[in-house]
Amino acid sequence: KPLASYVADLLARLAFFQKWIDDGMPASFWLSGFFFTQAFLTGSTQNFARAKTIPIDQLAFAFEVLEPTPPTTAADDGVYVYGVFLEGARYNAATKQLDECESKILFTELPTLWLRPTKLSDLEEPPHYNCPLYKTSDRRGTLSTTGHSTNFVMYLNLPSDRPADHWIRRGVAGLCQLDE
């Protein structure tokens, strides 16, 4: 990021965490605000696993795209997250699925997502695109000493009536932050 954008992002991140300290746990979390996003996601899965006494290795996230209005109360199970951008596609609120970009618009923000830990045996697989989510637009990274990528976060299962190849050819990916 250019220095001005980096500083603006840093100030927004500090404000997010200060509000969390002052007002308690937020109803939804700014996913881009976390330095180590995977730790936050693992923590939310661990909380669910402990509460339901389910081994964590038997859990995965079920994804639900929420209406444009952000939630005002925290999720009973899992977490609500926002601040995810799509590159090469958009989420169509009318059809509740991925759709083609509008003319000359490369990036769009996804509505709030509900990441709900679910037992692997109960996980439903409706038609979806397994959309890779990256911290930055570089789409590359190295494995750190924790075994996590320095850039790849996870796959988002976004509803789609088109085959995955359609979105792969368009280079569709999720981003936690834009370059500007």
Side-chain angles (χ1 to χ4, degrees), residues 78-89:
V79 290
Y80 299 128
V81 297
Y82 64 92
V84 175
F85 298 90
L86 277 179
E87 180 180 12

Side-chain angles (χ1 to χ4, degrees), residues 25-29 71-80 114:
M25 191 171 77
S28 57
F29 297 88
T72 56
T73 58
D76 291 333
D77 293 326
V79 290
Y80 299 128
W114 181 14

Side-chain angles (χ1 to χ4, degrees), residues 16-73:
F16 170 74
F17 286 112
Q18 188 62 53
K19 185 168 175 30
W20 190 347
I21 291 167
D22 295 343
D23 301 339
M25 191 171 77
S28 57
F29 297 88
W30 181 36
L31 195 61
S32 307
F34 294 102
F35 176 75
F36 189 27
T37 314
Q38 293 92 333
F40 168 74
L41 297 170
T42 301
S44 66
T45 306
Q46 285 175 332
N47 288 341
F48 179 84
R50 286 184 187 126
K52 305 291 182 181
T53 60
I54 300 170
I56 195 168
D57 62 345
Q58 294 179 10
L59 296 174
F61 282 118
F63 298 87
E64 185 176 335
V65 182
L66 302 179
E67 297 300 317
T69 308
T72 56
T73 58

Side-chain angles (χ1 to χ4, degrees), residues 110-140:
L110 271 172
T112 301
L113 295 169
W114 181 14
L115 281 55
R116 185 172 29 95
T118 306
K119 286 178 75 172
L120 289 170
S121 59
D122 298 337
L123 204 57
E124 295 179 18
E125 291 291 336
H128 69 277
Y129 169 56
N130 223 10
C131 181
L133 175 64
Y134 298 97
K135 292 179 184 178
T136 68
S137 64
D138 281 345
R139 298 193 190 196
R140 61 183 171 84

